[in-house]
Amino acid sequence: MSGALVRPMREDDLEACERLSSRAFLELDQRTYQRDWPEPTERPESRSQDWVRRSAHLLGTDAAGCWAAEVDGRIVGFATSLRRETLWVLASFAVRPGLQGRGIGRELLAAASQHSRGCLRGMLNASQDQQALRRYRLAGFDTLPQVVLWGRVDRGLIPVVDRVRDGGAADYDLMDSLDRRARGAAHGPDHEVLASQFHLLVLDHNTGQGYAWVDAKGGVACLAADNRRTAQRLMWAALAGSDPDVPVEVAHVSPANQWAMEVATAARLEIHPRGFLALRGMKDPMPYIPHSTLL
Ligand SMILES: CC(C)(COP(=O)(O)OP(=O)(O)OC[C@H]1O[C@@H](n2cnc3c(N)ncnc32)[C@H](O)[C@@H]1OP(=O)(O)O)[C@@H](O)C(=O)NCCC(=O)NCCS
């Protein structure tokens, strides 16, 4: 026993969990980042608000999947997870630096995993943390190395991409179908929270169908398509919206998604290893780029 009390997470825990997560991931980044990357910094205020909004959304849809650990009334760890159809996703998981390695994470993951009962599939983005990887492998997950695509996009390299348009709520049914095909489950209630943080691009044509959630810098935050060429066109359309002076980042590209690395090579983006896609009961989805926490 770790000595921590593991109990259901509450709305009034969210601020403390966000701060804890920001610090735990900063400490992890400081331990694991490549030397030629910019110095890791704490999560900026705007992203903290996104974190709280996303976690509040999960407390609403998946209260039984969200757990907190406390010692003497102070939050020392948490795990949030969601169930979409028959897919279980671990969204976020951290223990306060200094208290890691004492079994608190094991108890939190066991509690959140109860929410996966009846789910054929499981999916999560794992950090480089060896304690995290050990926990996931012991829970039956395969771990596939991912890359991040990064850099400034030279306008002269961007091909003309037609038929990509801005999307909206009327496209959610199409997107749910594409998600079921790629990862075996729709995003369902998650569209709204994604819409509050990203811009939606859609390609819906007889040559292919797909969508991409795009961040403010032109990076792809989540993408699904029914063929590689359509996925590539959507990624180019996202990159075309980037500022030539501001680097874009497309993270969580798994081995089956070489199409994304082809675009990165053509766009002269850098390709760096970072993190793992952890999968249980399913193959590496393709063409698909998972969202960082809603997968
Ligand atoms: C991942 C995390 C939540 C796990 O919580 P924790 O309380 O540290 O985990 P536990 O103490 O329950 O388990 C850690 C396991 O890793 C093992 N471990 C510790 N150091 C290790 C190392 N360097 N290499 C391999 N295994 C290691 C421990 O022995 C233990 O395994 P055991 O239970 O079989 O003995 C926590 O370490 C953390 O917050 N990390 C930073 C944020 C992060 O990476 N979150 C996960 C995002 S996917």
Side-chain angles (χ1 to χ4, degrees):
M1 291 292 281
S2 67
L5 168 71
V6 172
R7 56 148 177 87
M9 189 190 272
R10 300 187 302 255
E11 188 104 20
D12 61 3
D13 296 326
L14 286 174
E15 296 287 337
C17 289
E18 190 284 320
R19 283 294 82 207
L20 190 161
S21 131
S22 173
R23 288 192 192 118
F25 283 100
L26 175 63
E27 190 268 340
L28 172 70
D29 286 348
Q30 286 165 337
R31 267 192 280 138
T32 58
Y33 253 50
Q34 293 184 200
R35 281 204 200 154
D36 58 349
W37 275 76
E39 193 62 24
T41 51
E42 251 196 86
R43 189 180 288 150
E45 173 63 23
S46 61
R47 287 194 38 227
S48 297
Q49 286 169 9
D50 287 347
W51 194 98
V52 169
R53 195 178 311 130
R54 249 191 346 256
S55 303
H57 161 71
L58 293 182
L59 270 183
T61 57
D62 295 81
C66 301
W67 294 80
E70 63 174 59
V71 170
D72 298 333
R74 270 183 86 210
I75 299 286
V76 296
F78 68 87
T80 57
S81 72
L82 54 142
R83 213 161 60 186
R84 296 290 171 265
E85 299 168 2
T86 57
L87 172 69
W88 178 74
V89 171
L90 181 68
S92 199
F93 177 39
V95 167
R96 186 181 295 278
L99 293 178
Q100 294 171 4
R102 302 179 184 188
I104 299 174
R106 179 174 40 218
E107 289 174 21
L108 279 166
L109 194 58
S113 294
Q114 294 290 315
H115 195 49
S116 74
R117 270 183 306 180
C119 288
L120 301 173
R121 303 153 188 259
M123 201 177 181
L124 63 97
N125 279 318
S127 66
Q128 318 258 108
D129 189 318
Q130 293 306 311
Q131 306 181 94
L133 282 174
R134 178 166 173 75
R135 287 268 70 87
Y136 304 145
R137 294 207 56 89
L138 289 171
F141 283 86
D142 290 336
T143 40
L144 281 58
Q146 292 175 319
V147 296
V148 55
L149 315 173
W150 184 89
R152 292 177 183 78
V153 184
D154 178 342
R155 319 312 295 161
L157 299 174
I158 301 172
V160 176
V161 180
D162 51 11
R163 301 200 180 102
V164 175
R165 58 167 172 80
D166 292 340
D171 297 302
Y172 292 170
D173 284 345
L174 167 65
M175 294 159 70
D176 281 340
S177 302
L178 290 161
D179 290 337
R180 285 194 188 101
R181 184 181 165 131
R183 59 171 212 167
H187 273 99
D190 304 327
H191 296 305
E192 287 302 336
V193 73
L194 290 165
S196 71
Q197 292 171 21
F198 304 109
H199 177 75
L200 180 62
L201 294 179
V202 170
L203 204 165
D204 184 7
H205 187 253
N206 55 21
T207 56
Q209 294 173 302
Y211 75 85
W213 289 110
V214 181
D215 68 26
K217 292 181 184 164
V220 173
C222 182
L223 179 152
D226 65 356
N227 65 63
R228 291 166 221 225
R229 208 166 135 57
T230 301
Q232 289 186 324
R233 293 159 72 99
L234 283 159
M235 185 163 158
W236 276 119
L239 297 180
S242 68
D243 180 333
D245 297 325
V246 179
V248 295
E249 183 174 308
V250 180
H252 308 299
V253 177
S254 60
N257 290 281
Q258 296 294 320
W259 62 268
M261 287 176 244
E262 279 168 26
V263 173
T265 306
R268 294 186 165 276
L269 297 180
E270 297 177 17
I271 303 177
H272 296 273
R274 195 210 278 169
F276 295 83
L277 176 62
L279 297 173
R280 189 166 67 187
M282 61 191 283
K283 290 208 181 91
D284 189 358
M286 191 282 295
Y288 192 70
I289 295 179
H291 180 260
S292 56
T293 57
L294 302 172
L295 274 294

